Every structure is written in structure tokens, then in C-alpha cells.
Amino acid sequence: LAKTTQPISMDSYEGQEVNITCSHNNIATNDYITWYQQFPSQGPRFIIQGYKTKVTNEVASLFIPADRKSSTLSLPRVSLSDTAVYYCLVGDNGQAGTALIFGKGTTLSVSS
Amino acid sequence: GAGVSQSPSNKVTEKGKDVELRCDPISGHTALYWYRQSLGQGLEFLIYFQGNSAPDKSGLPSDRFSAERTGGSVSTLTIQRTQQEDSAVYLCASSPRESYYGYTFGSGTRLTVV
């Protein structure tokens, strides 16, 4: 699995857009980029996954440049409830036999 | 069921006792994973099942830890002779064949060894 690097922490205010960038220089051709969100006292929750360009769902957008060596998770107009740890993971989504290895993630703190 | 179910939600045990933690994955999910998370720390991978077999046990911290999965469904994580450093939240996740990295996690079992 490709190693990822993301900021340890970020601070924001309610209503702002938050962009969390993840570096994955050794991403392989078959690898997908997956983001998880973890609230305190809960298990992580899958929020978005992409392979290239842009993916958008009701929670977030994921931007992936052509070289795929990085990706940016974008949270529009955050609220206090978006305070959580966000994990970036890279791996071959269709390949059984490996488990996701979660790093320390990015702790996002949203203030009023 | 609708989600991944773990039991018990909380467990307090005395040092040296054995404990069993249970995970009931989403019906039809072929892959099942165990992680643990100590206070303020990231997730530590323990073991992974594909069906009833465990291709990757590399994360089990010692031979006091074991896990099994029966019928391609329920899994049990057993910790023998518990130690205080085993105190953590034990999380189980499952994923379907068509999206191995689309994990659904349970709410976890908070284990406290006193």
C-alpha cells in the first residue's frame, strides 16, 4: 500500500471551506484514494473514494490531479459537527488480501 | 443486519482474565477486519479475514491474541491473560467483495483491564 502524508491538524471556523491535502507519491496504477472520517467515540466512516479527476457526494468533494501523486478532500461550509479526524488511504480497491493501514490522520477542529 | 454489530459495548476485566469480543458483520460482506485504538491514538490493524480464513494476522501483538470467524459471518477476538496495556477500543469492520476499501465499522468494544 502506498504511504500517505497529511497534516496532523487543521483549524477552521464555521461556514468556511476546508481543504485537506494528502500526498501519495508512490501511488500505483491500480490504487484508489479513499477518505474516512472519525468522530470521537465512534468507528471511522467511509466518506469518499476516487481514482482520478473529481468526485463529489453529499458530504465532500475529492480532487485528484492528473499525476495522482496527491489528492485534496474538500468540505464545503463546515459546521461544528465536522470536527473529526480525517484519514487518507491509498490501495487497490479490488484486491483482496490486504487491509487498510490507517495513519494518524488529520484532526480538524471547527470553531464558532 | 443493517450495520456491523459489536458486543459487548463495554467490558471491564481483571488483569489475567480472558475476554472474548464479538463482531457480527453486515450480511454478505466477505471481508472482516479487527483494529484497536488506544486513547488518543490512531487505529492499529490486528487481523483480517477473507471468508473464514485469515490471510493477514500480522498485526496481532502477541500470542495472547487470537481470532476466528465461522460461517463467513460472526467473528470472535479472544485475548488471554489480559494485561493493562490491552485496554483500548476494539473496532471491527466489514466490506463487500465489490468494494474492499468501502469499510463499515462497528461502534467498538471499550475494554478496560484493571
Side-chain angles (χ1 to χ4, degrees):
Chain A
L1 296 174
K3 178 178 169 57
T4 62
T5 302
Q6 56 184 120
I8 294 295
S9 64
M10 294 182 69
D11 296 313
S12 183
Y13 291 96
E14 285 188 292
Q16 291 188 332
E17 178 183 77
V18 171
N19 295 309
I20 305 174
T21 297
C22 177
S23 298
H24 27 82
N25 291 318
N26 297 321
I27 191 168
T29 302
N30 293 334
D31 286 346
Y32 280 71
I33 300 153
T34 309
W35 286 79
Y36 280 78
Q37 174 190 55
Q38 185 178 25
F39 297 117
S41 302
Q42 295 185 24
R45 178 176 77 118
F46 172 92
I47 51 174
I48 200 165
Q49 183 180 72
Y51 184 80
K52 62 180 179 180
T53 63
K54 176 184 174 182
V55 180
T56 297
N57 63 21
E58 65 278 5
V59 176
S61 294
L62 179 60
F63 297 92
I64 306 167
D67 67 5
R68 304 201 325 123
K69 292 185 183 299
S70 67
S71 59
T72 299
L73 177 74
S74 181
L75 305 172
R77 300 184 57 79
V78 294
S79 64
L80 294 176
S81 63
D82 291 315
T83 294
V85 179
Y86 293 82
Y87 299 95
C88 167
L89 302 108
V90 171
D92 185 344
N93 189 47
Q95 179 65 47
T98 57
L100 285 172
I101 304 301
F102 288 76
K104 294 194 181 299
T106 298
T107 299
L108 173 64
S109 299
V110 180
S111 304
S112 57
Chain B
V4 177
S5 177
Q6 291 189 245
S7 61
S9 55
N10 281 285
K11 176 73 176 178
V12 179
T13 189
E14 292 181 351
K15 178 181 172 181
K17 300 281 190 184
D18 298 351
V19 295
E20 284 190 353
L21 312 180
R22 175 188 169 106
C23 173
D24 203 339
I26 291 175
S27 178
H29 278 195
T30 55
L32 184 148
Y33 312 82
W34 283 97
Y35 292 83
R36 75 175 176 181
Q37 189 168 36
S38 302
L39 189 63
Q41 301 298 309
L43 278 79
E44 176 186 3
F45 168 73
L46 297 178
I47 188 169
Y48 152 69
F49 286 92
Q50 179 62 32
N52 291 334
S53 63
D56 190 351
K57 304 179 183 179
S58 62
L60 294 177
S62 76
D63 58 8
R64 296 187 295 105
F65 288 73
S66 63
E68 65 174 12
R69 187 180 186 194
T70 55
S73 181
V74 173
S75 177
T76 303
L77 177 69
T78 301
I79 309 173
Q80 296 178 312
R81 305 180 303 281
T82 52
Q83 304 294 313
Q84 288 187 328
E85 61 263 29
D86 299 334
S87 296
V89 175
Y90 289 80
L91 290 158
C92 174
S94 68
S95 67
R97 184 183 301 276
E98 62 273 16
S99 179
Y100 282 113
Y101 290 154
Y103 291 11
T104 300
F105 278 85
S107 298
T109 293
R110 181 175 299 278
L111 176 67
T112 304
V113 182
V114 297

